[in-house]
Amino acid sequence: MTEKEKAALGMLYNANYDTDLKEERLDCQELCAEYNRLMPKELEKRTELMKRILGKTEGEFMVEQPFFCDYGYNIEVGEKCFLNYHCTILDGAKVTFGHDVFVAPNCSFYTAGHPFDIEQRNEGLEYAYPIHIGNNVWIGGNVTVLPGVTIGDGTVVAAGSVVTKDLPAGVLAAGNPCRIIRNLSE
């Protein structure tokens, strides 16, 4: 089994020393660097290049510069998805953004994590668990979303939060670690 196949299954895999994965990350980093060098008004070129970077896009979407990711092909964005400045996505596993998602500046989405065992960590092993962001979600500035998290439709995550666990649909959540403050229907 390849390291990429192990990653897709949520198993420990070697991202640091596997030559194929290193090459894929370098290819994506070059595309991101090219994207980040485009002039802001070059909207058609920006969209075209972002469609080459991302695994799947639907309808119109906007990704502000600068943008950073590991592989790109594991990222899916829905229609009218907006990722603001300095978005970082470590996409060793799938990261899915639904329709009408608003992500404020300086947000990070990390599918990758490392074992607590020192020897495994020093071998370059890591795991990657998918992140899913539902439709109509608003994520405030400087939010970090950790591996394996799902954020339900219509939820609002307050600025500065660190989302360590799933959030249901239709809630306001905040804090470090992020917790539910109230239902939005209240």
Side-chain angles (χ1 to χ4, degrees), residues 38-143:
L38 290 173
M39 297 305 293
K41 287 186 178 182
E42 294 181 286
L43 294 176
E44 282 185 35
K45 287 183 182 179
R46 287 174 57 186
T47 299
E48 179 184 306
L49 188 51
M50 192 51 63
K51 284 183 178 184
R52 286 180 49 207
I53 294 170
L54 301 178
K56 181 179 177 185
T57 62
E58 292 185 42
E60 292 183 30
F61 63 94
M62 174 58 81
V63 177
E64 290 291 1
Q65 302 155 297
F67 171 81
F68 307 96
C69 65
D70 279 339
Y71 302 100
Y73 54 71
N74 281 325
I75 303 169
E76 299 180 4
V77 298
E79 188 165 3
K80 297 181 186 171
C81 182
F82 178 76
L83 306 179
N84 215 325
Y85 306 110
H86 295 278
C87 183
T88 300
I89 303 174
L90 303 185
D91 62 313
K94 287 279 185 200
V95 179
T96 307
F97 296 91
H99 302 297
D100 298 294
V101 172
F102 292 94
V103 176
N106 302 310
C107 289
S108 301
F109 302 84
Y110 303 147
T111 67
H114 301 278
F116 292 157
D117 181 85
I118 295 168
E119 289 177 17
Q120 289 180 323
R121 197 169 53 244
N122 288 343
E123 288 175 31
L125 297 179
E126 67 180 50
Y127 58 84
Y129 300 148
I131 293 172
H132 177 75
I133 311 299
N135 297 319
N136 301 299
V137 170
W138 176 21
I139 297 177
N142 296 299
V143 167

Side-chain angles (χ1 to χ4, degrees), residues 1-2 8 10 15 20-21 24 30 35 39 45 59 78 82 93-94 106 133 143 153 175 178-179 185:
M1 185 179 306
T2 68
D20 292 336
L21 290 177
E24 287 181 5
E30 287 192 1
Y35 179 78
M39 297 305 293
K45 287 183 182 179
F82 178 76
K94 287 279 185 200
N106 302 310
I133 311 299
V143 167
D153 292 347
C178 191
R179 62 183 174 72
S185 60

Side-chain angles (χ1 to χ4, degrees), residues 129-169:
Y129 300 148
I131 293 172
H132 177 75
I133 311 299
N135 297 319
N136 301 299
V137 170
W138 176 21
I139 297 177
N142 296 299
V143 167
T144 300
V145 179
L146 296 183
V149 167
T150 294
I151 298 175
D153 292 347
T155 286
V156 175
V157 180
S161 297
V162 178
V163 186
T164 61
K165 296 181 180 172
D166 292 353
L167 296 173

